[in-house]
Amino acid sequence: MQQTTFNRISVIGLGYIGLPTAAVIASRGIEVVGVDVSEHAVNTINQGKIHIVEPDLDMLVQSAVTTGKLRATTEAEPADAFIIAVPTPFKDGFKPDLSYIEAAVKKVAAVLQKGNLVILESTSPVGTTEKISRWMSEVREDLNFPHQGGDEADILIAHCPERVLPGYVIQELVANDRVIGGITPKCAARAQDLYKIFVKADCLITDARTAEMAKLTENSFRDVNIAFANELSIICDRLGINVWELIKLANRHPRVNILNPGAGVGGHCVAVDPWFIVDSAPEQARLIRTAREVNDSKPEFVLNKVRKVAAEFKQPKIACLGLAFKADIDDLRESPAVAITQKIIEEEIGEIMVVEPHIKSLPAKLNQAHVKLTGLAEGLEAANIIVTLTDHSVFKQVKLTTLNEKVIIDARGIWEKE
Ligand code: SAJ
């Protein structure tokens, strides 16, 4: 018989998506068991603390752990529903790496009971949710899965991609619409019951393949639009036009809304997910592939500017402003700003001041004798070349007029926009 309530929900993967989701569900009074392979993460969470940076998450986790509604462990335990939120990076040749999902699925399969719901939240190539059904059936021949039994299956499986913006996760988890794709309609309906526990917006039902493609489409849409802005910036550089002024003017058209050029596209999402579409339909995904290539070429374009300008100085002193992959966060993962700074360091283009107000020490690969992590004022003062790589709010407060006599390579348009 179909259950109507969830007494215990397990979240597999306690990272940027899994931990906030676990804490929000626990805050609704449901028992949540979080599972992670990292003992450090598990121990930190069980002390009511967090191992990642996300506004308001610390308070939420602390209260969920204190009230006994959330606990973490390294081994899967039985539950009514399982939410899988593990990473899906790509491997060589931009091929999706599903090994984290497969490992999580096999762990969950071992503790499954009739009537359980399994939800995949990780961004995944089309067909992954059906793969999960097959992987689970290999481990549990005693149970019937949706790819075998359809709506009569013992286990229900759905894909509900996360789509929250880092830095706003807690509010977007509750406020964003959700796309819920079931392998069967019954799978989708059951997953919808779960999301209604904490989502205030619409929970839109579809099939699993469409839900998988919807998530990849959202991030590819963003990537293609950023690529358009980045390509414009390269064209304008060649034609001697200020791209920021150009975009401001073009955006005054009622149906034009161009995004911001930058130092490249970073993070684990927008720079990765479009490759999953390219991998599934290499012949057809021409625009999506080209957009990836345009965005990935932008760091080299910025570097070339630095090399050219530095060659004109006897003693180049370069202030690199920002390491994070985007504004006002401390996340350096897959950051074009880090890649550019690292190249400047490796090529020993000059003395280097790194200004990144969100970190306390330099990552090992940037920590060299001719490199210093400095405060903003100190870095600006000492430099003869300033390169803006991340558009942190604090950088925007600096007045361009105070930087007279310095050469500025403003990859993020912080001051160009003035
Ligand atoms: N960027 C630009 N110019 C812009 C906007 C962004 O260069 O105009 C750069 C950023 O600096 C950054 C990269 O793009 O390096 C990605 O930043 P982002 O803010 O576009 O996206 P993410 O990776 O933080 O989060 C995205 C979001 N997806 C969309 O907005 C369609 C988020 O909703 C997803 O949940 C997230 O990916 C994810 O986890 O997939």
Side-chain angles (χ1 to χ4, degrees):
M1 208 182 62
Q2 172 96 27
Q3 290 167 288
T4 50
T5 53
F6 297 93
N7 295 317
R8 185 197 255 197
I9 294 175
S10 181
V11 178
I12 320 294
L14 298 172
Y16 283 84
I17 302 299
L19 183 56
T21 304
V24 167
I25 297 174
S27 75
R28 301 299 188 269
I30 291 172
E31 185 191 346
V32 178
V33 180
V35 182
D36 201 285
V37 289
S38 156
E39 283 195 15
H40 167 70
V42 164
N43 292 338
T44 309
I45 294 162
N46 283 334
Q47 288 164 25
K49 298 186 191 143
I50 58 175
H51 59 295
I52 51 176
V53 177
E54 179 60 40
D56 302 332
L57 181 62
D58 51 351
M59 279 157 25
L60 209 60
V61 168
Q62 194 194 30
S63 122
V65 171
T66 312
T67 56
K69 290 295 175 192
L70 173 64
R71 99 192 128 76
T73 158
T74 52
E75 291 306 322
E77 294 179 13
D80 300 314
F82 297 85
I83 297 175
I84 297 173
V86 295
T88 39
F90 56 60
K91 26 184 199 196
D92 288 351
F94 302 116
K95 294 229 155 278
D97 176 1
L98 300 185
S99 58
Y100 296 91
I101 295 187
E102 190 174 353
V105 160
K106 295 202 164 148
K107 223 175 205 183
V108 168
V111 298
L112 278 179
Q113 294 166 339
K114 245 183 179 184
N116 280 173
L117 169 69
V118 178
I119 297 173
L120 174 67
E121 281 212 9
S122 315
T123 305
S124 304
V126 174
T128 308
T129 314
E130 286 157 5
K131 238 181 213 164
I132 286 183
S133 190
R134 287 197 296 275
W135 279 332
M136 288 187 152
S137 70
E138 282 164 23
V139 180
R140 295 295 300 271
E141 286 176 3
D142 56 316
L143 292 169
N144 188 278
F145 289 84
H147 74 284
Q148 305 163 313
D151 257 346
E152 302 310 313
D154 296 327
I155 304 295
L156 304 172
I157 306 179
H159 179 51
C160 180
E162 61 82 12
R163 42 182 12 191
V164 288
L165 196 67
Y168 300 87
V169 170
I170 304 299
Q171 77 203 59
E172 289 207 355
L173 263 179
V174 175
N176 288 4
D177 291 339
R178 295 296 293 231
V179 175
I180 298 173
I183 295 189
T184 69
K186 198 166 150 191
C187 297
R190 182 75 175 138
Q192 192 184 41
D193 287 345
L194 186 146
Y195 285 97
K196 280 190 172 160
I197 294 170
F198 64 95
V199 174
K200 290 211 176 114
D202 293 337
C203 295
L204 308 156
I205 282 188
T206 182
D207 59 80
R209 291 172 70 85
T210 308
E212 286 159 348
M213 189 61 182
K215 170 60 196 254
L216 302 179
T217 299
E218 291 158 19
N219 279 354
S220 299
F221 174 85
R222 192 141 173 92
D223 199 45
V224 167
N225 281 280
I226 298 168
F228 182 75
N230 275 333
E231 184 163 292
L232 270 183
S233 72
I234 296 167
I235 295 169
C236 284
D237 184 68
R238 184 178 169 83
L239 301 182
I241 292 168
N242 180 327
V243 71
W244 306 102
E245 187 192 357
L246 171 85
I247 291 176
K248 210 174 352 176
L249 294 172
N251 280 350
R252 296 294 285 267
H253 183 290
R255 285 175 296 283
V256 174
N257 188 11
I258 303 167
L259 292 177
N260 292 311
V265 169
H268 273 294
C269 310
V270 177
V272 174
D273 304 349
W275 288 118
F276 294 178
I277 298 182
V278 175
D279 185 63
S280 303
E283 305 267 305
Q284 291 76 20
R286 292 183 299 159
L287 178 63
I288 294 171
R289 178 203 301 271
T290 304
R292 275 286 65 247
E293 288 166 356
V294 169
N295 286 333
D296 276 354
S297 73
K298 198 65 198 294
E300 189 59 27
F301 173 84
V302 176
L303 252 174
N304 271 335
K305 293 224 151 264
V306 177
R307 289 183 188 119
K308 214 166 138 192
V309 165
E312 285 163 25
F313 283 83
K314 257 203 187 125
Q315 285 184 309
K317 294 179 185 169
I318 308 170
C320 293
L321 267 48
L323 285 181
F325 85 84
K326 65 179 203 173
D328 301 331
I329 58 168
D330 69 337
D331 194 340
L332 310 189
R333 295 177 304 166
E334 312 299 328
S335 172
V338 172
I340 293 168
T341 307
Q342 192 178 352
K343 268 275 166 99
I344 297 175
I345 293 169
E346 280 167 8
E347 292 179 19
E348 300 189 357
I349 295 178
E351 195 182 312
I352 294 141
M353 277 77 62
V354 175
V355 182
E356 177 46 80
H358 299 275
I359 61 169
K360 292 197 175 72
S361 60
L362 283 173
K365 57 186 172 187
L366 305 185
N367 208 355
Q368 311 278 335
H370 59 301
V371 186
K372 222 172 127 189
L373 181 68
T374 70
L376 179 58
E378 189 191 341
L380 292 177
E381 169 73 28
N384 42 31
I385 302 170
I386 297 165
V387 193
T388 68
L389 298 172
T390 308
D391 46 347
H392 290 315
S393 305
V394 44
F395 299 159
K396 294 181 188 162
Q397 284 154 20
V398 175
K399 285 270 155 247
L400 188 57
T401 45
T402 62
L403 303 177
N404 282 342
E405 323 247 315
K406 313 217 179 241
V407 179
I408 298 171
I409 300 170
D410 193 1
R412 290 282 181 178
I414 290 176
W415 298 300
E416 294 284 351
K417 283 182 194 159
E418 272 185 12

